[in-house]
Amino acid sequence: MKLKSLVIISVLLFNFCFFTNAQEEQQNQFNVSMQLRPRAEYRNGYKTPLTETDISTGFVNQRSRLSLDFQRQGLSAMLSLQNVSVWGEYPVSNVYESNTVIYEAWAQLKGQSGFFAKFGRQVLHYNDGRLLSVADWNQASRVHDALKFGYQTELNQLDLVLAYNQDADKNSGGTYYRAIGVPYKTMQALYYQNNSSEVFTPSFLFVNIGLEEGDAVAGDSKLANMQTLGTNLIYKPLPELRFQGNAFYQMGKRRNSDTKISAYMLTLRGDYDVTKQVRLTAGTDFLSGEEYRSPNSNDTYNAFNWLYAGNHGLYGVMDFFIDSPYRSGMNLGIWDKFLGVTYKANPKMSFGLTYHYFSTANEVYDQANEKMNSGLGSEIDLQVDYNIMKDVRLLCGYSTFFGTPTMDYVKGGDHKHWQDWAFLSVVVNPRIFSAKW
């Protein structure tokens, strides 16, 4: 602990000395913005397939967010308040109940040469959000309490993220973390992206997650560490053609187990602009899985953990394969193959249609240890995006899923029952006040 404290103090002192040599204070800017995002949903199989006896549901939820943003030479800060609720959840005269929380609360100090330090409750989002994402589809979104050191110019971005969590302010009792708020106790992440080429953009990400597995009664802390490292590559050989791929490997130790981790994720996506109005998309995502009831099981854990990703839309928008992909005890991985087309009717309106076919990444065996077909089913997603006016956007979508008997076995529901989902959302996101002095 003494060594860790010394390192932290040394880093902070270095940055303090560095930033005090920054340029003199210049113009101040203060902005106030708001976001109102009600979303009506019809769910008849969203996330979990339904059976013939299950009844569909519908509701309206809403995000209400107020953000204060301050900037001047060398200093920026953000304070954002957020309320997420379902219409009708609270009384019409709500005096006692509130779920308004602080969404973001951070400050950033930046030097002249591109070095910066950002600390507080902040968004961590890298590349296409496969591992660390703002998860903006979720009305509550996602933020982390962290300290970030970095270097950013037009050609390079380098981030070092450090997080250390506790569940209470206490005077004694050890450092055991009950994971009341955040799933992990510690996190260290290192990210680098090179922007020197307009054709090829490589980036690299390393994340270490420390999960508590110590003694809660004694207060003794012990961490099970899991490391994920890999690359995101973007290649644009032509102005109208773009490829993006991810390759990540995961290792370390499972929480409360001596089992070693050996898992991986591979993704590839291509986008081709046929015209200024029409874009074609094709790709595949493969996340390794753990064997279940296999006669050839091994002694390592092979299911890839996508950490704190924003998975909505990456593996279909009905979200069957995020959070809890399968029945308890199963984590078979996922293999997604997809084709899509986007049509931009005019500057304000666009339509998107995507087809997914899902299968397990691992072989599936039933209760009699008979091998099953790995195919899980097909999903069709339709979305319409319309900009009503400045700061006001309308989104709506409809999706349906055609499952298989294997899907019934590993996920639940009845593949003979019609599964679909629809939503309608309005996003109002204006800047309501701005001042400079």
Side-chain angles (χ1 to χ4, degrees):
M1 290 296 294
K2 290 182 179 180
L3 180 58
K4 291 182 179 179
S5 300
L6 181 60
V7 172
I8 293 173
I9 292 173
S10 298
V11 171
L12 292 176
L13 286 175
F14 169 79
N15 282 275
F16 174 79
C17 295
F18 174 78
F19 289 121
T20 53
N21 292 324
Q23 291 182 359
E24 294 182 0
E25 296 180 7
Q26 295 185 0
Q27 188 178 60
N28 299 278
Q29 181 169 341
F30 178 67
N31 301 314
V32 181
S33 60
M34 61 179 290
Q35 184 182 82
L36 299 178
R37 193 174 80 170
R39 184 167 70 214
E41 293 189 48
Y42 161 74
R43 293 184 176 182
N44 183 49
Y46 176 76
K47 283 194 176 182
T48 302
L50 302 186
T51 65
E52 290 289 347
T53 58
D54 291 325
I55 302 175
S56 60
T57 187
F59 57 89
V60 180
N61 59 24
Q62 179 169 319
R63 172 199 291 173
S64 305
R65 184 181 293 173
L66 180 67
S67 299
L68 311 178
D69 173 27
F70 174 79
Q71 297 179 27
R72 74 165 182 243
Q73 181 68 37
L75 173 64
S76 57
M78 167 75 78
L79 177 63
S80 180
L81 304 179
Q82 177 174 275
N83 179 283
V84 176
S85 60
V86 175
W87 285 11
E89 181 179 0
Y90 296 110
V92 291
S93 299
N94 186 14
V95 178
Y96 303 106
E97 298 184 45
S98 174
N99 65 345
T100 299
V101 299
I102 294 179
Y103 172 61
E104 288 185 273
W106 55 261
Q108 177 173 290
L109 311 177
K110 188 172 183 179
Q112 301 176 54
S113 56
F115 289 97
F116 68 86
K118 184 177 181 180
F119 49 90
R121 195 162 182 81
Q122 58 186 283
V123 168
L124 298 177
H125 186 99
Y126 293 108
N127 302 122
D128 51 355
R130 298 279 178 172
L131 296 176
L132 295 174
S133 170
V134 64
D136 193 57
W137 171 260
N138 187 328
Q139 293 284 45
S141 197
R142 181 183 293 125
V143 288
H144 301 257
D145 298 311
L147 170 64
K148 181 196 292 185
F149 296 114
Y151 172 75
Q152 186 167 12
T153 65
E154 292 184 0
L155 301 181
N156 297 281
Q157 178 182 347
L158 177 65
D159 289 354
L160 172 64
V161 179
L162 304 171
Y164 176 82
N165 296 316
Q166 282 291 286
D167 49 72
D169 181 349
K170 52 191 177 182
N171 297 323
S172 62
T175 61
Y176 180 89
Y177 180 59
R178 290 173 175 78
I180 296 173
V182 180
Y184 59 85
K185 179 178 179 179
T186 64
M187 178 175 68
Q188 304 85 38
L190 184 65
Y191 176 79
Y192 173 71
Q193 178 173 310
N194 183 275
N195 302 309
S196 59
S197 171
E198 295 182 356
V199 176
F200 181 59
T201 305
S203 64
F204 306 91
L205 178 63
F206 169 83
V207 182
N208 179 72
I209 297 293
L211 302 176
E212 182 65 78
E213 61 172 6
D215 187 337
V217 176
D220 294 333
S221 179
K222 180 182 177 183
L223 296 182
N225 288 286
M226 178 177 65
Q227 300 83 37
T228 307
L229 68 160
T231 183
N232 174 280
L233 305 174
I234 299 174
Y235 179 53
K236 300 178 182 177
L238 300 170
E240 65 273 14
L241 183 61
R242 181 181 188 270
F243 296 99
Q244 182 172 9
N246 290 278
F248 283 90
Y249 179 71
Q250 207 161 66
M251 56 189 175
K253 175 185 175 297
R254 294 196 73 196
R255 181 176 179 267
N256 295 326
S257 170
D258 292 329
T259 307
K260 301 296 183 181
I261 299 170
S262 179
Y264 63 94
M265 173 178 68
L266 299 171
T267 77
L268 180 63
R269 174 190 174 112
D271 294 282
Y272 178 65
D273 295 332
V274 181
T275 67
K276 292 182 178 180
Q277 293 178 298
V278 179
R279 171 175 291 181
L280 300 179
T281 301
T284 183
D285 307 315
F286 187 93
L287 283 72
S288 66
E290 176 70 359
E291 297 172 339
Y292 180 75
R293 303 185 68 88
S294 171
N296 302 311
S297 60
N298 57 49
D299 58 356
T300 60
Y301 187 75
N302 307 123
F304 189 85
N305 185 326
W306 41 51
L307 303 183
Y308 310 105
N311 288 327
H312 178 80
L314 293 178
Y315 314 105
V317 298
M318 290 186 72
D319 294 340
F320 284 123
F321 307 105
I322 67 174
D323 298 332
S324 300
Y326 301 106
R327 292 181 187 270
S328 177
M330 294 185 183
N331 201 336
L332 300 161
I334 190 69
W335 187 10
D336 176 21
K337 289 78 68 178
F338 58 91
L339 294 169
V341 58
T342 303
Y343 174 65
K344 190 173 183 179
N346 54 58
K348 289 190 173 184
M349 179 176 286
S350 64
F351 300 85
L353 180 65
T354 305
Y355 169 81
H356 295 262
Y357 183 77
F358 300 101
S359 56
T360 62
N362 273 61
E363 296 177 343
V364 185
Y365 293 84
D366 62 16
Q367 297 294 330
N369 283 338
E370 295 291 331
K371 185 177 178 181
M372 303 182 69
N373 190 305
S374 62
L376 298 174
S378 302
E379 179 175 322
I380 298 174
D381 303 323
L382 172 65
Q383 181 166 316
V384 180
D385 189 335
Y386 178 61
N387 290 319
I388 299 175
M389 62 178 69
K390 181 182 178 182
D391 302 323
V392 182
R393 183 181 173 203
L394 175 70
L395 298 169
C396 61
Y398 176 80
S399 299
T400 185
F401 186 86
F402 304 95
T404 66
T406 303
M407 184 69 169
D408 296 346
Y409 177 67
V410 302
K411 184 72 175 178
D414 183 356
H415 70 281
K416 296 179 182 179
H417 179 65
W418 184 261
Q419 314 282 344
D420 62 349
W421 168 73
F423 79 94
L424 175 65
S425 179
V426 178
V427 183
V428 181
N429 195 23
R431 179 189 292 179
I432 57 178
F433 178 78
S434 182
K436 294 181 179 181
W437 70 93

